[in-house]
Amino acid sequence: MRTQARIDAADWPPEVFGARSGSSANLAALPWNEAQELAQTDAARHYLEEVLKRHGGRVADAAAHAQVERESFYRLMRRYQVRADEQDQPMGDKGDD
């Protein structure tokens, strides 16, 4: 007969409960370098998502807001796995500049 281990809330990743991956409780459990990298990645992803959302998914406008070239903004989106089409967009706006 096989016994099953109990799974507690602490065993689940924070994303299951809606927490961002860089929450301070999770970061404190990591070495400094890993915590810093995770927090920086999380902050960059969040920034890109929010800027795109603010500009209705229009990459050219989001890039201008961030004061970077459009191609650089696209590179950042690829690096941090952010898609413009996942952001809130007004009807009829494709957001694929």
Side-chain angles (χ1 to χ4, degrees):
M1 177 180 244
R2 191 173 106 177
T3 61
Q4 295 191 4
R6 180 178 171 184
I7 299 175
D8 294 320
D11 297 323
W12 290 90
E15 293 81 8
V16 170
F17 302 105
R20 291 176 47 206
S21 60
S23 70
S24 58
N26 295 334
L27 293 177
L30 299 173
W32 168 255
N33 289 343
E34 290 178 36
Q36 184 180 27
E37 184 178 332
L38 181 61
Q40 184 176 0
T41 298
D42 189 51
R45 184 177 295 118
H46 184 70
Y47 175 80
L48 294 170
E49 289 170 350
E50 290 301 314
V51 170
L52 280 164
K53 190 181 296 183
R54 175 179 282 196
H55 293 283
R58 293 181 306 274
V59 175
D61 293 345
H65 174 94
Q67 298 181 359
V68 298
E69 296 291 328
R70 186 171 45 121
E71 285 306 311
S72 296
F73 199 87
Y74 274 115
R75 259 192 301 291
L76 289 168
M77 290 171 59
R78 281 191 299 274
R79 177 187 295 169
Y80 295 106
Q81 300 174 349
V82 173
R83 293 178 44 159
D85 59 355
E86 293 176 351
Q87 307 310 315
D88 295 335
Q89 298 178 26
M91 289 292 277
D93 187 356
K94 301 272 190 238
D96 53 9
D97 295 327

